[in-house]
């Protein structure tokens, strides 16, 4: 049988690798930004959520530029020693790039930046491995969509189609005339408990959001003086 002309062998060794291209672009963009902004901030993230970080990027877009990429690449762009740093002491700032962190190049002074992040704490659904900020218990009786978080007069009964899912997650529910019933209180989580995947699924099912997204400024660099100042606790 003749070989089809459409059948072509693609050698993976010849495909373009975008990883290196993105790395070079991140490095070049950071180097380009250094002379354009009077302040550079290193920030850490707690309970990382991409949508919240996008909100930060959008709200700071008028006078700042945010980078959240590979830590080693960002540190390399700032310089890993006095001999490789593009500006005085940027390598000192690079030393603060540890853990989940990023860079913000900005025209905002440190006081304004600290004030902004002190008020930015959106709440999201918890993920497995995070700590419960308070205890949550499903009350006995008919189950409602918010699981007792709000008065039943302001809530609606839980859809009967969710009852099998609740039983799979270990909640001893039953159906009675199309309503999801619970014969006794069921504690989903305790305060300060490390949450498992089943617990986070239940919390999300009942609209309970516990994870507080936060950005912590760890240190900043001032172009005019070449000084690096670390926030207390991040020295």
């Amino acid at each position: 049988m003749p070989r089809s002309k459409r059948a072509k062998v693609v050698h993976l060794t010849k495909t373009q690798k975008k990883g290196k291209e993105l790395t070079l672009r991140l490095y070049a963009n950071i180097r380009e930004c250094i002379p354009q902004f009077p302040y550079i901030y290193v920030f850490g993230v707690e309970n990382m959520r991409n949508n919240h970080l996008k909100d930060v990027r959008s709200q700071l877009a008028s006078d700042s530029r945010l980078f959240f990429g590979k830590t080693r690449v960002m540190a390399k762009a700032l310089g890993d020693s006095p001999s490789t740093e593009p500006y005085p002491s940027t390598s000192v700032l690079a030393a603060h790039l540890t853990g989940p962190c990023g860079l913000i190049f900005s025209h905002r002074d440190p006081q304004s930046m600290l004030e902004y992040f002190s008020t930015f704490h959106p709440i999201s659904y918890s993920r497995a491995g995070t700590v419960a900020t308070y205890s949550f218990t499903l009350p006995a009786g008919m189950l409602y969509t918010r699981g007792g978080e709000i008065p039943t007069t302001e809530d609606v009964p839980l859809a009967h189609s969710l009852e099998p899912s609740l039983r799979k997650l270990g909640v001893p529910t039953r159906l009675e005339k199309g309503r999801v019933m619970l014969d006794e209180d069921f504690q989903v989580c305790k305060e300060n408990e490390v949450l498992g995947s089943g617990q986070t699924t239940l919390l999300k099912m009942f609209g309970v959001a516990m994870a507080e997204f936060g950005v912590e400024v760890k240190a900043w660099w001032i172009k005019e003086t070449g000084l690096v100042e670390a926030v207390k606790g991040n020295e």
Side-chain angles (χ1 to χ4, degrees):
M1 182 177 177
R3 186 175 182 180
S4 172
K5 292 183 180 181
R6 294 183 180 180
K8 294 183 179 180
V9 178
V10 178
H11 297 283
L12 295 178
T13 54
K14 293 184 179 181
T15 58
Q16 293 183 348
K17 296 182 179 180
K18 292 186 178 180
K20 186 175 181 180
E21 180 184 341
L22 293 174
T23 295
L24 293 174
R25 187 186 305 168
L26 175 63
Y27 179 92
N29 287 339
I30 289 175
R31 279 292 175 109
E32 182 182 350
C33 282
I34 294 175
Q36 297 178 9
F37 294 89
Y39 302 100
I40 307 176
Y41 300 89
V42 171
F43 67 91
V45 179
E46 185 176 359
N47 291 316
M48 173 61 186
R49 299 291 187 276
N50 285 330
N51 58 320
H52 295 325
L53 196 62
K54 286 180 181 178
D55 290 339
V56 173
R57 192 189 303 273
S58 176
Q59 292 173 20
L60 296 179
S62 63
D63 56 12
S64 307
R65 191 166 178 187
L66 184 150
F67 294 94
F68 196 82
K70 291 184 178 180
T71 303
R72 285 185 299 175
V73 178
M74 294 189 293
K76 192 75 174 178
L78 293 178
D80 47 20
S81 67
S83 61
T84 59
E85 60 187 17
Y87 277 76
S89 299
T90 55
S91 63
V92 178
L93 184 69
H96 294 276
L97 286 165
T98 57
C101 60
L103 291 172
I104 296 177
F105 294 80
S106 183
H107 290 284
R108 300 192 187 194
D109 59 57
Q111 182 178 350
S112 299
M113 192 64 75
L114 291 172
E115 287 177 355
Y116 167 72
F117 284 123
S118 69
T119 59
F120 189 83
H121 295 283
I123 304 296
S124 300
Y125 292 118
S126 299
R127 292 175 178 170
T130 57
V131 177
T133 55
Y134 61 91
S135 299
F136 175 66
T137 300
L138 295 172
M142 184 190 303
L143 288 181
Y144 288 77
T145 58
R146 294 301 309 279
E149 287 285 279
I150 60 176
T152 56
T153 53
E154 301 174 12
D155 207 346
V156 294
L158 192 69
H160 67 86
S161 59
L162 294 174
E163 197 271 338
S165 298
L166 287 171
R167 280 191 283 107
K168 286 181 180 179
L169 291 168
V171 185
T173 53
R174 59 183 175 82
L175 283 176
E176 183 178 303
K177 297 180 180 180
R179 301 300 188 189
V180 183
M181 305 297 294
L182 190 60
D183 291 329
E184 57 184 21
D185 291 353
F186 181 85
Q187 188 170 58
V188 176
C189 64
K190 297 179 182 179
E191 185 178 0
N192 296 324
E193 177 185 9
V194 177
L195 299 170
S197 58
Q199 292 169 299
T200 58
T201 301
L202 284 171
L203 291 172
K204 187 174 183 179
M205 189 178 292
F206 288 96
V208 179
M210 292 185 178
E212 184 179 82
F213 173 87
V215 172
E216 176 194 20
V217 176
K218 302 168 70 173
W220 60 81
W221 173 82
I222 305 172
K223 184 170 72 171
E224 184 179 2
T225 61
L227 295 177
V228 173
E229 294 188 33
V231 175
K232 189 176 181 179
N234 290 296
E235 295 89 345

